Amino acid sequence: MDFSDDQIERYARHIILKEIGGAGQQKLLAAKVMVVGAGGLGSPLLMYLAAAGVGTLGIVDDDTVSLSNLQRQILHQTADIGRPKTESAAETLAALNPDVTVILHEERLNAANALTLVAGYDLVADGSDNFETRFLVNDACYLARVPLVSAAIGQFEGQLSTYRAFEGENPCYRCVFPERPPPGTVPSCAEAGVIGALAGVMGSLQAVEAIKEITGIGQSMAGRLTIYDALDARFRTLKLRRDPGCALCGEHATIHDLTAHAA
């Protein structure tokens, strides 16, 4: 794959990195990444992946832009209020980098469509804002053998990990969080609030990890969980282990498809 003159200039800062170089940039241009959610995390994540030249970006979101989104969802503008987030995101990304093909999935991820959607991509990045979707994405990625870069935020704290439980002894999301918390025990951002710039921090970290996974550079976050406390300006990284009793990837797994998510 040859670079055009414009591509050489656009991606020059990647190409001169010995860890990425021309070969790594070609991998980025050939990659297909699905991003779940075009909101707080998805906004910086999608913008940096598009800027990096990830060749195909799929966006899964069924929501429309509202005024309260604009405090953190930097893909969207005031004029976009009322528009589908997928359309607003695609317009912003096209203006940023016309090299990138954007595929819009203006639908909610569910048990019926998740495996088909996930299987069409090389990597999935989850920026969803609810536990139901996080568990669904994790299960679909494990079953489809697709790497997952997952992040979450709330108030002043964020967390990030990569899940590749389909290979080696890596854990899946369920190994860390075996069950959804009871309804009402973990308030959403709409209920508890969130500092807007935190979405930028964690979404940008997701983009870095996605680029590392695509190019094969550095140490993967698989098997590690990073927690960021914005009030203390402190990062902690925890070592994660596979749970032998995990219902999805354990020794006696009971989850073999997505039927449980249809209930």
Side-chain angles (χ1 to χ4, degrees), residues 53-66:
V54 173
T56 301
L57 291 172
I59 307 174
V60 183
D61 200 307
D62 68 342
D63 199 7
T64 57
V65 180
S66 66

Side-chain angles (χ1 to χ4, degrees), residues 228-249:
Y228 172 55
D229 182 336
L231 286 180
D232 286 345
R234 181 163 57 100
F235 285 91
R236 292 184 295 139
T237 299
L238 310 177
K239 179 70 176 177
L240 305 178
R241 298 186 183 277
R242 171 174 281 183
D243 177 5
C246 177
L248 180 69
C249 68

Side-chain angles (χ1 to χ4, degrees), residues 6 38-39 56 58 62 69 75 101-102 109 123 139 145 147 161 175 196 201 211 228 242 244:
D6 283 349
T56 301
D62 68 342
N69 297 153
L75 268 173
T101 298
V102 179
L109 208 65
L123 181 141
D139 295 357
R145 300 181 64 84
S161 188
C175 294
V201 173
I211 291 169
Y228 172 55
R242 171 174 281 183

Side-chain angles (χ1 to χ4, degrees), residues 117-134:
L117 289 175
V118 166
Y121 291 87
D122 305 315
L123 181 141
V124 173
D126 182 17
S128 61
D129 61 358
N130 63 86
F131 285 101
E132 288 75 15
T133 302
R134 288 177 200 149

Side-chain angles (χ1 to χ4, degrees), residues 26 117 156 198 240:
Q26 288 175 345
L117 289 175
F156 297 94
L198 177 64
L240 305 178

Side-chain angles (χ1 to χ4, degrees), residues 35 37 97 141:
V35 175
N97 189 354
C141 285

